[in-house]
Amino acid sequence: MMIRQALICMVALMSACLNSGTQNAVTPEDVKSLADGFYFRTNHGWQKLEVISMAGGGLKHAGKMLVPGLTPQYVWTFRGAESPVQIEDKRPTFCVVESPVLAGIAGRTDRDLLIIRFDKKKDHRELQTTNGGNMFTFKSGISKDRMPDITTKTISDGIFTITPNEDLKPDEYMVTFSALGTSGYDFGIK
């Protein structure tokens, strides 16, 4: 009797493992009914992300301008300390569904997609768009340490999935086509 119960438990466990593996696979049928937008996958289907755009920007450490050779940093600011979308999954799957009109525009392919980490502040989020402390190390653009490695997959024209290659740290993020980081779709990892 105990052997039979152990076998039933093993079969149930193996079945659950196999089913969870197939739930993570995205098929064209999964996204056929989605309207244009950016989504993340939940246990109950796809949930739409909200668009966010920079609310301002400016120099950080502006006092460095008074010291020859040192450079201030430029940051974009975004409203709110947190995104309204907080995700528990440390390695979420995102789906982008674009209008057919946008599908052929340069800079809007799966190779252009990014996930970018914000700096969380008391009442807003920031994205530093330059780095380097002096004129010899100064670089414009978003630092690679803010952009986790991702895997993108084209499902069909204008439909892509994005998955981080490693677990995301609890923080605030944005998924975007914009290497400038001026707008995108924000989310947080709990």
Side-chain angles (χ1 to χ4, degrees), residues 13-152:
L13 181 62
M14 289 170 48
S15 175
C17 290
L18 289 174
N19 285 338
S20 70
T22 58
Q23 286 175 349
N24 289 334
V26 177
T27 64
E29 291 77 33
D30 286 342
V31 295
K32 247 196 284 192
S33 63
L34 297 176
D36 298 349
F38 283 59
Y39 298 84
F40 73 97
R41 189 177 196 130
T42 70
N43 292 335
H44 307 291
W46 294 99
Q47 181 177 336
K48 197 167 189 174
L49 294 171
E50 295 180 23
V51 69
I52 188 169
S53 294
M54 72 170 195
L59 292 175
K60 191 173 188 178
H61 311 295
K64 287 184 176 183
M65 289 191 307
L66 303 174
V67 179
L70 296 183
T71 56
Q73 302 303 313
Y74 206 87
V75 297
W76 303 135
T77 57
F78 295 82
R79 289 190 174 101
E82 289 187 344
S83 168
V85 175
Q86 294 295 310
I87 302 172
E88 290 188 28
D89 185 0
K90 304 287 187 234
R91 204 178 294 191
T93 298
F94 299 94
C95 182
V96 178
V97 179
E98 290 197 295
S99 149
V101 174
L102 296 175
I105 293 179
R108 302 214 34 117
T109 68
D110 63 338
R111 296 180 337 156
D112 301 304
L113 286 163
L114 303 167
I115 294 177
I116 301 172
R117 182 181 46 80
F118 289 121
D119 288 326
K120 185 176 174 180
K121 302 299 179 182
K122 183 178 171 183
D123 62 348
H124 67 282
R125 289 161 286 170
E126 293 181 351
L127 178 58
Q128 188 170 316
T129 60
T130 59
N131 58 60
N134 61 52
M135 64 184 167
F136 301 109
T137 61
F138 182 83
K139 294 178 186 173
S140 63
I142 298 168
S143 173
K144 287 186 180 191
D145 68 337
R146 293 188 173 281
M147 297 183 292
D149 287 333
I150 59 172
T151 297
T152 60

